[in-house]
Amino acid sequence: MQYVDIPKKINIVDLLNNRASFSPHNYKKVTLGKGDYKFVKDFISGDLIKGDEVGSDAYISKSHKFFIRNKSLQPDSFSFSFSEDSVVPILPDKFVNLHLKEGDIVISKDSNVGEVVILEKDYPDHMLSGGLYKMPVRENKYYLFAFLKHDFFKTQLNFLVSKGATIRHAKKLFLDCQIPLPPEKGRNGVIKFVETLVGAIIEKEKWIRVNEKKIFEIIEKELTDNQKAKSFSYRFPNLNDLQKTSRIDAGFYCESYIQKQFLMKNYIHDAGTIKDWGYDIGRGQNLQVSAIGKSIYSDKKRDGFYILVRPTNISDFGTVSKYEYLGSAQGLSTISEGDIIFSAEGSIGKCIMFANPKEKLITNIHGIVLRKKNHNQIESAFVASFLRYLRKVGVLDYISVGGQGGSLAMKYWSEVKIPFFPKNKQEEIANLYHSSASYPTNKITGSNFEKIDADANKNFGILELDHQLRIMKEFLQTTIDKIVAGDKVKSDFSFVDNF
């Protein structure tokens, strides 16, 4: 990185100042441009509030109190990324109230050192693990947060924290990291611009979660309110059941799974397999040398390269958290408009529908591609959303087989049932995932951006919000790079033209 300085020699003063460490890693430093800076501790208004450990014996299956683990803090999200193993229900008498409020900054001191989130709402029933701190910030909270999310901060902290341990511990060393300030002339305007941008990003992440929650609520209500007269009753499997399915794993016959499948099969308009819906099922492109010859991978976009979407990089919300790029002389199997990529191994059930893939886009053999001729985008958006619902309620976990996250092989797709919702209900769900609404770019000024953007979010689907989010995060990254270098920052919102 351009701001990393690796000294060729050190003196005795450097050695003593660095706690007599002989690790070359601890003498690397970051270099600022010609601007001023503060330390992280200069933004703090009081003592750091440390989380508490409850122990695994406090974990239970259901509760109104929850324990937030370090893995809830992820680099691709400004807010908590909750999953089954990152937020755990606990015994209420073990709960410690840390008064987690909207706008609080939470930072990890252990494991994923330096990862940080800002709370998009109050979390009165959640507590932090002992590896997390809540940071009381005096002023310019969003400006500080923007830098805490940037590589400049993480690089500094990486140099301060000793390597070699199985789990790294930052303690409170992050307080000594530098936060660059814009040039004094126009400083307040640049800080306000950065804070407005951060606030808009948080809002978009919030609306993605709101839309996903609405999708699941609509699906749940449609299913439960429109059942046939037949009522559910459970019986243990018999020999015929075992012979019919060739499955002997107990979960496949448990009451919870059978009841969930009953909801689909007993739906008033019936349900069908993915083939009944007219989709072909196929594996993604085999990227082994034996299949496509030698290829080049890159984390940065390059002309002529394929855009690679690995199933592991699909988010819980049907978006892509990270793109990779692959250069190959071969003509590879690409994704078309309306195609759905489904994660069939590991994180089973993560899936995304591509509304308009403008460039050469591929996935690998660990992904299943669902495609059909004459795609209807509303239908595809609904199908992708319903597959995510099946993942959320655990149906796909029961169908999949094997360890290490399991695998949902193509031969088991006959067990995946998707109900034939009415067209208007499919459209209602699809619009929350993929909408044709347009952004009012011609009305944007520096003073009204925040309000217009907040109003516009209500009209967009998850895919559109994610597209805007990606552009805004890239613009924020570029802005911070300029501040670090001491360059002049142009405080305008011209990037919305790309929305």
Side-chain angles (χ1 to χ4, degrees):
M1 300 176 186
Q2 69 272 17
Y3 39 75
V4 175
D5 175 44
I6 303 176
K8 294 182 178 179
K9 60 182 180 180
I10 61 171
N11 56 39
I12 189 65
V13 175
D14 297 326
L15 190 67
L16 294 174
N17 287 340
N18 215 344
R19 300 181 295 279
S21 170
F22 284 91
S23 171
H25 167 81
N26 290 341
Y27 293 92
K28 294 179 182 178
K29 296 179 180 179
V30 294
T31 56
L32 284 170
K34 48 187 178 290
D36 296 329
Y37 66 90
K38 289 183 178 180
F39 293 103
V40 172
K41 59 190 173 188
D42 295 328
F43 291 84
I44 304 300
S45 59
D47 294 333
L48 296 171
I49 301 168
K50 185 176 174 292
D52 202 356
E53 289 298 328
V54 297
S56 58
D57 57 335
Y59 297 177
I60 54 178
S61 58
K62 290 184 179 180
S63 177
H64 64 283
K65 299 296 183 183
F66 300 90
F67 177 73
I68 299 174
R69 304 172 73 183
N70 289 45
K71 61 178 65 177
S72 295
L73 284 63
Q74 295 295 323
D76 59 312
S77 178
F78 279 27
S79 309
F80 282 131
S81 297
F82 286 154
S83 61
E84 284 188 6
D85 59 345
S86 68
V87 57
V88 185
I90 59 171
L91 294 168
D93 62 350
K94 297 291 185 180
F95 179 76
V96 178
N97 192 353
L98 299 177
H99 305 285
L100 299 178
K101 301 289 187 182
E102 180 178 351
D104 284 345
I105 294 177
V106 175
I107 190 168
S108 174
K109 71 178 185 68
D110 299 334
S111 190
N112 53 344
V113 169
E115 203 50 71
V116 62
V117 295
I118 191 164
L119 307 194
E120 83 287 3
K121 64 177 185 178
D122 294 350
Y123 285 92
D125 297 319
H126 291 68
M127 64 174 288
L128 303 176
S129 80
L132 300 174
Y133 280 120
K134 185 174 85 167
M135 302 172 63
V137 180
R138 179 185 298 113
E139 59 183 357
N140 300 135
K141 179 183 296 183
Y142 283 2
Y143 182 82
L144 170 64
F145 180 78
F147 276 89
L148 296 179
K149 263 301 189 187
H150 192 268
D151 280 343
F152 181 76
F153 165 75
K154 293 178 180 177
T155 302
Q156 290 182 76
L157 186 57
N158 187 47
F159 294 159
L160 293 173
V161 178
S162 299
K163 285 188 173 183
T166 303
I167 298 179
R168 304 174 71 201
H169 302 279
K171 301 179 183 177
K172 297 181 181 180
L173 293 174
F174 57 85
L175 294 175
D176 295 324
C177 291
Q178 298 172 341
I179 303 297
L181 299 173
E184 190 168 355
K185 184 178 180 181
R187 175 175 294 174
N188 290 338
V190 173
I191 289 176
K192 186 178 187 307
F193 174 70
V194 170
E195 295 210 309
T196 300
L197 192 51
V198 170
I201 290 171
I202 294 168
E203 276 297 304
K204 290 197 185 295
E205 287 193 351
K206 183 189 297 185
W207 273 100
I208 286 175
R209 287 165 167 77
V210 167
N211 281 14
E212 187 80 336
K213 184 179 179 182
K214 284 182 181 177
I215 286 172
F216 293 157
E217 288 173 347
I218 293 169
I219 290 174
E220 195 84 42
K221 189 174 190 307
E222 176 66 17
L223 280 175
T224 54
D225 290 355
N226 295 281
Q227 291 287 299
K228 297 174 185 176
K230 184 179 179 182
S231 59
F232 173 74
S233 64
Y234 176 73
R235 64 169 177 79
F236 289 109
N238 56 35
L239 185 59
N240 287 336
D241 295 326
L242 296 174
Q243 289 175 333
K244 188 187 300 182
T245 62
S246 299
R247 298 282 294 263
I248 60 172
D249 41 320
F252 194 75
Y253 302 100
C254 74
E255 184 173 359
S256 175
Y257 170 68
I258 300 299
Q259 188 172 25
K260 288 180 172 69
Q261 286 286 45
F262 176 82
L263 271 179
M264 264 71 78
K265 295 174 182 177
N266 197 53
Y267 178 61
I268 194 169
H269 299 299
D270 298 322
T273 65
I274 203 73
K275 288 191 174 181
D276 294 332
W277 278 81
Y279 287 85
D280 293 325
I281 306 176
R283 284 284 185 179
Q285 175 69 55
N286 186 343
L287 301 179
Q288 294 180 350
V289 174
S290 58
I292 66 169
K294 292 183 178 180
S295 55
I296 302 171
Y297 289 87
S298 173
D299 288 331
K300 295 184 178 180
K301 188 174 182 178
R302 298 180 183 273
D303 292 339
F305 276 40
Y306 289 91
I307 301 175
L308 172 60
V309 176
R310 297 182 188 272
T312 53
N313 291 331
I314 298 175
S315 77
D316 292 333
F317 308 103
T319 62
V320 180
S321 59
K322 177 185 176 184
Y323 288 102
E324 296 177 61
Y325 303 90
L326 181 138
S328 173
Q330 302 293 323
L332 307 183
S333 176
T334 57
I335 301 300
S336 302
E337 179 181 330
D339 285 355
I340 298 169
I341 295 179
F342 179 95
S343 176
E345 298 176 13
S347 300
I348 293 173
K350 289 186 176 183
C351 66
I352 178 173
M353 189 271 287
F354 288 90
N356 187 21
K358 297 179 181 178
E359 302 178 76
K360 300 185 299 181
L361 192 145
I362 61 173
T363 189
N364 63 20
I365 201 168
H366 300 296
I368 283 179
V369 180
L370 309 177
R371 54 166 53 102
K372 66 188 292 187
K373 293 181 179 179
N374 303 318
H375 266 301
N376 179 324
Q377 285 198 10
I378 291 176
E379 182 186 272
S380 288
F382 164 71
V383 169
S385 297
F386 196 86
L387 289 172
R388 294 198 310 280
Y389 168 78
L390 291 179
R391 178 176 186 262
K392 176 183 178 291
V393 297
V395 168
L396 300 180
D397 289 333
Y398 289 116
I399 297 174
S400 62
V401 297
Q404 296 181 335
S407 170
L408 205 161
M410 285 190 282
K411 67 180 180 179
Y412 298 124
W413 275 77
S414 60
E415 299 296 331
V416 179
K417 306 296 183 184
I418 301 176
F420 297 111
F421 280 11
K423 296 296 181 184
N424 65 323
K425 194 60 65 174
Q426 289 186 38
E427 186 171 359
E428 182 182 1
I429 291 168
N431 284 336
L432 289 166
Y433 183 56
H434 167 50
S435 168
S436 58
S438 59
Y439 195 93
T441 57
N442 58 323
K443 298 180 181 179
I444 295 295
T445 66
S447 59
N448 70 9
F449 167 76
E450 211 163 2
K451 182 180 186 310
I452 287 182
D453 186 63
D455 291 341
N457 287 339
K458 303 171 186 177
N459 301 318
F460 294 118
I462 290 172
L463 292 180
E464 289 68 42
L465 289 165
D466 180 68
H467 172 70
Q468 296 164 13
L469 196 60
R470 192 174 300 279
I471 292 171
M472 295 172 94
K473 285 183 176 180
E474 289 175 355
F475 196 84
L476 180 62
Q477 172 92 7
T478 302
T479 300
I480 294 177
D481 285 341
K482 289 181 178 178
I483 294 174
V484 170
D487 296 338
K488 184 177 179 181
V489 176
K490 188 177 180 182
S491 303
D492 65 42
F493 296 90
S494 59
F495 61 87
V496 299
D497 295 331
N498 297 318
F499 283 1

